[in-house]
Amino acid sequence: MNKVLNILRENIFLIKLTIVLSALFYIYFNDLIDWNLIKKGLSNPKLILVFLLLTFLQQLVGSARTKSLLFYKNEKLNVFKINNITWASTFLNCVLPTSIAGEVYKINKIIDNSDNEIKDNVVYTALVSKVLTVISLVIISFTALFSSQLENKESQFFLNGLILFCFILCLLFTYRLKLYKLAHQLYKKINIQHTFIKTRAYNFHIYFNLLFFNPSAILKPLLLSIILQILNLISILLIVYNTKEVSVNSLIQLSQVIPLGIFASILPISYQGLGTGNYAFNELFKLVNIKNGSDIFTIYFALSYIFNLIGIIPFILFTLRKK
């Protein structure tokens, strides 16, 4: 088992590259690329400006969510400082083959500006943020399904899957305390004596109490996650509106399937969703009878990449400040 994990760890870049190229070759050889449409999207200055503005707002909302999940009293670490750290980390994701470096940079920078606060909270915040992102995408898709139903068999399967997921989430939230007590009893039976692990477990216990014993503590970051993903959804719908001739009903139907495409693009199995996102958007857009959905993701990827590259400014400022 350890040998397999070591092989995966050492060849993670090659694995991601293989996935990206496989998906792109599939799209290319099946003639699913419309270069004129891509050119139309990337040559629209109004679209680019509004997209970058919406992306900046997303990042600010994400920074506010991070601050609310840290449970820090440190006023020095405000939303704008977290936003600059996040932007600098996204720049690293652009120039390096893995997003791990960006995450590590973000965690380290937040810790450097956290004074005597519990450092472990930064890691827990990153994990909880990803879970809330998935939950918010499901909520948005589930809500959109009641506005306009998809007219095919896949839609019923899609709806049933969302209902099941929401039901499981409700059960987990309802019985969260009992599940935690069960896990705590299991931990006590194992009786781990290692100081490092005991410290991590104690810090997690404090964080869990702050997050789940008071429902209002999770409500704010969840609401911010939903707002963040709504802005993300609007950005993609804006690209569709400016590049394709679609009806209002089609845009509403796209709101049902795009969250699933966003989820596929954030899976850590490719380079910033390239390839997997193209394939997911292409297949999901078919449910709404729109061709070449992969081109929409290509435009989305390119504009996001431009925004992330601008993160070189806060990255240089942080680097110069450290020196």
Side-chain angles (χ1 to χ4, degrees):
M1 186 65 181
N2 289 332
K3 289 183 178 180
V4 174
L5 291 174
N6 287 332
I7 292 172
L8 289 174
R9 194 181 300 112
E10 293 171 0
N11 298 280
I12 187 68
F13 174 70
L14 292 176
I15 294 171
K16 287 187 175 183
L17 184 62
T18 302
I19 293 172
V20 170
L21 292 178
S22 299
L24 292 178
F25 276 134
Y26 171 83
I27 292 167
Y28 179 78
F29 286 111
N30 286 276
D31 197 24
L32 301 176
I33 299 177
D34 186 345
W35 295 110
N36 290 326
L37 187 144
I38 295 173
K39 183 179 178 181
K40 182 180 179 182
L42 296 179
S43 60
N44 187 330
K46 289 184 178 180
L47 171 62
I48 295 172
L49 184 62
V50 175
F51 183 92
L52 294 178
L53 178 61
L54 285 171
T55 307
F56 181 73
L57 289 175
Q58 289 175 47
Q59 194 162 262
L60 276 177
V61 173
S63 300
R65 179 184 65 182
T66 298
K67 182 172 176 58
S68 67
L69 285 170
L70 283 171
F71 299 113
Y72 283 173
K73 298 178 181 178
N74 180 14
E75 294 299 327
K76 185 178 71 171
L77 191 66
N78 55 41
V79 171
F80 294 102
K81 182 168 285 188
I82 294 174
N83 182 72
N84 289 336
I85 292 172
T86 302
W87 207 349
S89 69
T90 58
F91 164 71
L92 287 178
N93 292 340
C94 285
V95 297
L96 296 175
T98 175
S99 60
I100 296 175
E103 286 293 328
V104 171
Y105 176 87
K106 180 180 177 181
I107 290 172
N108 287 335
K109 283 297 177 184
I110 292 177
I111 288 175
D112 289 343
N113 290 273
S114 299
D115 292 336
N116 296 319
E117 306 283 0
I118 299 175
K119 312 302 181 184
D120 289 10
N121 284 20
V122 183
V123 178
Y124 303 145
T125 296
L127 295 175
V128 174
S129 295
K130 288 176 171 55
V131 173
L132 290 179
T133 294
V134 174
I135 294 173
S136 60
L137 289 172
V138 171
I139 291 173
I140 293 170
S141 185
F142 189 73
T143 304
L145 270 169
F146 288 97
S147 302
S148 176
Q149 291 292 324
L150 296 174
E151 299 174 354
N152 47 47
K153 295 179 180 179
E154 290 85 351
S155 63
Q156 191 59 46
F157 175 78
F158 186 56
L159 177 60
N160 291 337
L162 288 176
I163 292 174
L164 178 62
F165 188 83
C166 290
F167 178 72
I168 293 172
L169 283 177
C170 290
L171 283 178
L172 290 174
F173 185 76
T174 303
Y175 296 101
R176 64 192 185 281
L177 301 182
K178 290 184 178 180
L179 291 172
Y180 178 73
K181 289 179 180 178
L182 184 64
H184 185 63
Q185 290 175 359
L186 180 62
Y187 171 77
K188 290 173 71 175
K189 285 183 178 180
I190 297 174
N191 193 25
I192 298 174
Q193 298 298 323
H194 198 286
T195 305
F196 177 81
I197 297 177
K198 288 179 70 175
T199 304
R200 303 287 77 74
Y202 177 73
N203 290 341
F204 177 77
H205 172 71
I206 295 174
Y207 187 86
F208 184 90
N209 283 314
L210 290 170
L211 186 64
F212 290 112
F213 277 75
N214 183 11
S216 60
I218 193 66
L219 187 61
K220 181 180 178 180
L222 177 59
L223 182 61
L224 289 171
S225 291
I226 294 173
I227 294 172
L228 190 156
Q229 293 307 324
I230 288 175
L231 290 171
N232 203 10
L233 174 65
I234 293 173
S235 298
I236 297 174
L237 291 177
L238 189 68
I239 295 173
V240 177
Y241 180 78
N242 282 275
T243 54
K244 291 180 177 287
E245 295 181 3
V246 291
S247 62
V248 174
N249 186 56
S250 294
L251 291 176
I252 295 174
Q253 289 180 332
L254 280 173
S255 301
Q256 304 166 17
V257 298
I258 285 176
L260 191 59
I262 295 172
F263 173 73
S265 67
I266 62 177
L267 291 174
I269 58 175
S270 69
Y271 178 71
Q272 297 191 32
L274 189 62
T276 54
N278 291 89
Y279 179 79
F281 270 66
N282 186 71
E283 297 303 312
L284 290 169
F285 272 48
K286 288 180 182 179
L287 299 177
V288 194
N289 299 316
I290 295 179
K291 296 180 180 179
N292 291 23
S294 61
D295 296 328
I296 301 300
F297 182 80
T298 300
I299 298 170
Y300 172 77
F301 173 85
L303 295 179
S304 299
Y305 197 85
I306 292 170
F307 178 84
N308 294 340
L309 278 179
I310 301 174
I312 189 175
I313 298 173
F315 178 77
I316 291 174
L317 291 176
F318 276 117
T319 304
L320 292 175
R321 188 181 303 170
K322 184 177 181 180
K323 288 184 178 180

